[in-house]
Amino acid sequence: MIPLFTAFGSLVLAETPPKPLTDADFRQHSTAEVALGQLLFWDAELSGNRNISCGTCHHPRFGTGDGVSLALGEGGKGLGPDRRSDPENLPEQRIPRNAPALFNLGVLDLRTIFHDGRIEADATRASSFRTPLEDEMVTGFASLLSAQSMFPVLSPDEMAGHYSENEISKAVRTGQLTGPNGAWEKIAARVSAIPAYADQFSAVYPDIAAGRPIHFTDISNAIAAFISVEWRSDTAPFDAWLRGDAPLPDLATQGADLFYGTAGCSTCHSGPLLTDQAFHAMGSPQLGPGKGERFESAQRDIGRMRVTNKAQDIYAFRTPSLRNITATAPYGHAGGHSDLRAFVMHHANPVAGLDAYTPQAVLSEFAAAKPDWAIANDPIEIAAIKQAIHHPPRPLTSPEAAAIMAFLDSLTDPAAIAGRLGIPATVPSGLPIDR
């Protein structure tokens, strides 16, 4: 299809830049609910062994990620690139995928989440979401973001702990996730037993004040409210440009011309979030243990195909938002690139990028049972990843890359990166906070 060129300021663009974000695009939350969510987000009480919080792997110091390609979750000590294995509680493997950033997840139009979209909006289901739990998915989650937040607490490698270490991990291992004896309700019981939390939940949710027990959905809803407000990002130079309040610098203007024009970036990085929320095979390098079951020996990560079982979805991953992209390294579903410019060049011409790729991941020292670079060093696997790429290459010249990098820098929003409430001084459990 021949693009319709649209004038925008001094540019002539193949795609129309999006309308600026406004309050109407976001879910609204009370100050009390956001404050409650802040405490829960930073409280390790939600993890099986009470040693890791949401904030451990989604930290403002690392652009709401963790600064590494693949994290050490349960069994790690420390933050970001300094995180190491705990000799007294060794991790079993790296977390298979890069920790995604949390910017603008409070938008009403959030339709998919996670790199493979395994949680997505689905109006045909009672819960309104499609998740790996299928019909076991409980109701009560206020948003897709809220539904997402309950899955890391079920992962042995992320927050639950390994098989027989605690009552949460035991419930997960035996498949007791929902219901009175399920992992979620065991976590809710922990939180309910802390008087300060019981008081705050009653103050925020009238039906809890009236006597209803605290459920995990309430915990998830509060955490989602906090994430929505804390890391809302709509005050970057890009946003001022969209509103017509200020022009972009000259080089960034050239980058916007390419991004929305001949480079074709906005084909997938569209809308105010700069993502179509769809899935594309773009040849990002694979590393780490792969995304599979413990009994599977292969280390590949087939992406969206694990959700749909459709061959056309092999190696396809969700288009990431580019908001604050300069602060969220490493890049790719497995964090294969630590340098943004190198990732942009690879993305523009992925087959050539795979041929020329040399490891630049950021990985904590860990004696992994599965070699980190097994897939990246396997010619058969690399050929399969290349075959899945259907987007035509659009190699960038060095000046074009510099211009696009300047445009991407205009997406940087310091206020959003820092967060609005920040890290609390203490949490009701009294557990240490990862700062």
Side-chain angles (χ1 to χ4, degrees), residues 97-144:
R97 291 176 179 157
N98 180 254
L102 303 182
F103 300 108
N104 285 346
L105 295 182
V107 293
L108 293 167
D109 190 37
L110 189 68
R111 302 186 300 276
T112 60
I113 209 161
F114 286 133
H115 290 291
D116 57 11
R118 62 188 182 276
I119 297 181
E120 56 190 326
D122 186 342
T124 68
R125 297 176 184 265
S127 65
S128 300
F129 313 116
R130 183 191 186 281
T131 80
L133 288 182
E134 294 291 349
D135 293 334
E136 290 185 54
M137 183 70 176
V138 299
T139 59
F141 295 101
S143 65
L144 193 67

Side-chain angles (χ1 to χ4, degrees), residues 30-120:
S30 71
T31 300
E33 186 179 28
V34 173
L36 173 58
Q38 177 203 24
L39 296 175
L40 292 162
F41 183 91
W42 290 103
D43 200 333
E45 186 72 23
L46 274 62
S47 63
N49 290 325
R50 295 181 169 92
N51 61 353
I52 186 170
S53 73
C54 305
T56 304
C57 293
H58 296 283
H59 203 285
R61 199 195 304 176
F62 308 106
T64 71
D66 58 5
V68 296
S69 300
L70 302 173
L72 294 178
E74 170 58 43
K77 296 179 70 174
L79 276 176
D82 294 329
R83 191 167 175 82
R84 296 290 183 268
S85 301
D86 181 353
E88 298 180 1
N89 179 30
L90 290 173
E92 292 187 359
Q93 66 175 23
R94 299 189 196 278
I95 294 173
R97 291 176 179 157
N98 180 254
L102 303 182
F103 300 108
N104 285 346
L105 295 182
V107 293
L108 293 167
D109 190 37
L110 189 68
R111 302 186 300 276
T112 60
I113 209 161
F114 286 133
H115 290 291
D116 57 11
R118 62 188 182 276
I119 297 181
E120 56 190 326

